[in-house]
Each structure stands twice: as structure tokens, then as C-alpha cells.
């Protein structure tokens, strides 16, 4: 059973920044062999992939966050990070990390709230 723990969320005004962290542990897996992603779920909406980083370090982003978010990983720490700049109210959601494609195990996520 893989454990995923997200942290770093909070309340920030529009235009502000946050850095999210995700730590993976447990289960039977080799972290460095997995593509990883950050997902978010806003109230009443499905989870969406906002950023992914491949096993070899290539990053991709959904159009709405391009130029504002940066995903990175530290394989030694089995961690994934999401630097979020120029935050908008539309970014308000619970943010989750997971494999890409996703695993069945989800963490509790971390709440990001962006006020106008």
C-alpha cells in the first residue's frame, strides 16, 4: 500500500505563490520508475491533471497553469513538488499528487484557496 502525503497548501491572495510538497512511501514500487503528477479537484468538479513529470524529468502542464506552475521531483526523497506562482481564484481546489497514470491510492490532499 503506497502512502501519499501532500502538504504546503493554504490561503493566499490572487497573485501570490505557494509551494506544495508530496511524499510517497510504502508499497512495493520504485519511485524513480514512475511518472508523477499533481491533480486538483475543485468543488463540484472532477479531479484534473494539472502537471506531470516523467521518470526522466520532463514536465507537462495543462493550459490553464502553463507559465505559472512548475513541477519538480526528488527521487532520493521520493518527493514531488509544485511551485505555484501568480495564483488565481480559479486555482482554488484540493491538490493531490499521484502516479501518472493514477494509482488506486490517494492521499488526503492539501487545500489551496486563492482569494480575490
Amino acid at each position: 500500500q503506497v502512502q501519499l502525503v501532500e502538504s504546503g497548501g493554504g490561503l493566499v491572495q490572487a497573485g501570490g505563490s505557494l509551494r506544495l510538497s508530496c511524499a510517497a512511501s510504502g508499497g512495493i514500487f520504485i519511485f524513480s520508475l514512475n511518472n508523477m503528477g499533481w491533480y486538483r479537484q475543485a468543488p463540484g468538479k472532477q479531479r484534473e491533471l494539472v502537471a506531470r513529470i516523467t521518470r526522466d524529468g520532463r514536465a507537462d502542464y495543462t493550459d490553464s497553469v502553463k507559465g505559472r506552475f512548475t513541477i519538480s521531483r526528488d527521487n532520493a526523497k521520493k518527493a514531488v513538488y509544485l511551485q505555484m506562482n501568480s495564483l488565481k481564484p480559479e486555482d482554488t481546489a484540493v491538490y493531490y499528487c499521484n502516479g501518472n497514470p493514477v494509482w488506486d491510492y490517494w492521499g488526503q490532499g492539501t487545500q489551496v484557496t486563492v482569494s480575490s
Side-chain angles (χ1 to χ4, degrees):
Q1 184 178 14
V2 177
Q3 295 178 347
L4 297 165
V5 180
E6 301 93 346
S7 62
L11 174 64
V12 65
Q13 292 186 343
S17 298
L18 286 171
R19 184 173 184 261
L20 308 184
S21 298
C22 168
S25 63
I28 303 175
F29 77 109
I30 301 175
F31 183 84
S32 62
L33 296 181
N34 287 269
N35 299 332
M36 299 297 295
W38 279 97
Y39 306 76
R40 68 185 180 189
Q41 185 171 25
K45 298 182 179 179
Q46 296 291 311
R47 281 191 177 108
E48 65 169 337
L49 176 68
V50 297
R52 70 187 289 263
I53 184 165
T54 66
R55 56 203 291 177
D56 59 345
R58 300 191 335 272
D60 297 287
Y61 306 90
T62 191
D63 288 343
S64 63
V65 309
K66 285 182 179 178
R68 301 188 297 119
F69 291 10
T70 302
I71 187 172
S72 61
R73 67 190 296 165
D74 185 337
N75 289 338
K77 296 181 178 180
K78 296 182 180 180
V80 189
Y81 308 96
L82 186 68
Q83 178 66 46
M84 305 185 295
N85 299 325
S86 301
L87 283 162
K88 304 175 180 179
E90 304 92 273
D91 296 318
T92 296
V94 178
Y95 284 72
Y96 304 85
C97 67
N98 212 305
N100 180 243
V102 298
W103 311 324
D104 284 340
Y105 307 100
W106 291 90
Q108 65 180 11
T110 185
Q111 176 71 49
V112 172
T113 303
V114 185
S115 62
S116 300

